[in-house]
């Protein structure tokens, strides 16, 4: 099956515990060291098998084949991709059964990032996640004072709306945020604004 490596933990010697986001669940598997094994890294897309014959409860990761994508050699894209994909580990590790939304989202992102700025692509994908999980707050009501937001809007973790003066944070043109939320388009946000929102995402999905 296929999946994305969202976490790697070194155990003893060179053995690893690898968490992989696949279509239906996040697998956490043991990988024994092998000199001829391919190198694994966070963010890689792989084809793999699970060997469940181990005595322990954790299956063994085997028959790994890396599925490359065109921008893997682009340091900046790859760096941002790894930071983004790591967030899924924390976000989903307690979840028993996944729907294929997350796997498909990452698959689509790989294609999008070929042509688009990675932070913009991931920002738009994050809106998809919020919507999918029923956490997208499209009504402009301030989280802190519970009053309507008439002019500039500020977003805090989870992209919850606030007044800039209530959260002491950066104000955005409400229309641009509305466009981002409703059309999932960051086209009218400048690079500095995208960077600001990206930093909020990095606080956790
Ligand atoms: Zn307020």
């Amino acid at each position: 099956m296929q999946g994305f490596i969202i976490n790697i933990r070194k155990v003893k010697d060179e053995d690893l515990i690898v968490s992989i986001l696949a279509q239906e669940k996040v697998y956490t598997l043991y990988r024994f060291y092998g000199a001829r094994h391919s190198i694994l890294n966070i963010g890689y897309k792989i084809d793999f098998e699970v060997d469940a014959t181990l005595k322990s409860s954790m299956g063994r990761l085997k028959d790994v084949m890396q599925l490359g994508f065109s921008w893997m050699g682009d340091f900046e894209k790859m760096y941002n991709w790894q930071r983004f994909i790591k967030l899924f580990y924390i976000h989903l590790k307690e979840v028993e059964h996944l729907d294929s939304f997350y796997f498909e989202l990452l698959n689509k992102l790989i294609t999008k990032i070929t042509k688009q700025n990675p932070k913009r692509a991931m920002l738009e994908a994050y809106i998809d996640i919020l919507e999918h999980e029923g956490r997208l707050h499209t009504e402009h009501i301030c989280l802190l004072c519970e009053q309507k937001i008439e002019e500039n809007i500020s977003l805090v973790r989870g992209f919850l709306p606030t007044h800039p003066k209530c959260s002491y944070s950066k104000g955005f043109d409400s229309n641009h945020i509305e466009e981002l939320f409703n059309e999932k388009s960051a086209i009218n946000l400048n690079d500095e604004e995208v960077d600001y929102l990206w930093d909020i995402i990095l606080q956790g999905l």
Side-chain angles (χ1 to χ4, degrees):
M1 75 192 106
Q2 297 186 352
F4 292 91
I5 299 177
I6 57 172
N7 196 53
I8 295 181
R9 199 152 56 84
K10 222 174 218 172
V11 267
K12 61 175 169 73
D13 303 322
E14 299 290 321
D15 291 355
L16 303 172
I17 291 176
V18 185
S19 296
I20 304 162
L21 190 159
Q23 289 235 347
E24 286 167 2
K25 64 181 278 192
V26 174
Y27 287 90
T28 293
L29 302 171
Y30 200 92
R31 194 194 202 220
F32 290 104
Y33 173 74
R36 290 184 298 126
H37 281 170
S38 53
I39 293 167
L40 297 182
N41 216 333
I42 289 175
Y44 282 12
K45 186 181 178 186
I46 57 170
D47 193 276
F48 67 103
E49 296 297 331
V50 179
D51 179 353
T53 57
L54 274 187
K55 283 191 196 105
S56 75
S57 57
M58 195 182 288
R60 183 173 72 93
L61 175 61
K62 66 168 194 173
D63 296 342
V64 178
M65 190 173 73
Q66 192 187 313
L67 305 168
F69 36 92
S70 63
W71 46 268
M72 281 188 91
D74 183 323
F75 174 80
E76 209 204 319
K77 284 186 176 181
M78 202 57 199
Y79 173 67
N80 286 322
W81 171 249
Q82 289 180 321
R83 293 178 85 188
F84 185 65
I85 214 165
K86 264 190 210 173
L87 301 169
F88 287 78
Y89 174 67
I90 297 157
H91 188 59
L92 299 174
K93 67 177 175 180
E94 307 293 332
V95 179
E96 277 284 313
H97 186 87
L98 283 187
D99 56 58
S100 59
F101 167 82
Y102 300 93
F103 179 82
E104 302 301 343
L105 179 104
L106 293 175
N107 251 342
K108 273 185 258 167
L109 260 178
I110 285 182
T111 313
K112 260 182 119 179
I113 292 173
T114 311
K115 295 181 199 141
Q116 205 185 358
N117 171 294
K119 287 183 187 172
R120 284 178 186 274
M122 291 187 259
L123 170 60
E124 291 169 2
Y126 180 54
I127 304 299
D128 276 331
I129 295 171
L130 291 175
E131 186 180 61
H132 181 78
E133 296 177 353
R135 297 193 286 134
L136 183 63
H137 288 252
T138 49
E139 73 291 356
H140 290 185
I141 305 291
C142 175
L143 163 77
L144 297 166
C145 73
E146 296 178 350
Q147 302 295 312
K148 205 164 189 311
I149 300 167
E150 305 279 1
E151 291 169 18
N152 282 1
I153 183 169
S154 212
L155 299 176
V156 294
R157 187 170 170 179
F159 281 8
L160 294 166
T162 61
H163 291 107
K165 65 172 170 44
C166 289
S167 58
Y168 304 102
S169 48
K170 183 179 172 66
F172 289 81
D173 184 324
S174 293
N175 295 321
H176 294 168
I177 296 301
E178 206 169 291
E179 186 179 42
L180 177 67
F181 282 13
N182 294 336
E183 290 160 44
K184 308 194 182 73
S185 165
I187 196 150
N188 281 311
L189 298 171
N190 64 37
D191 286 346
E192 188 206 335
E193 291 174 321
V194 169
D195 279 343
Y196 185 90
L197 294 174
W198 170 251
D199 284 337
I200 296 178
I201 295 172
L202 292 180
Q203 292 172 23
L205 298 179

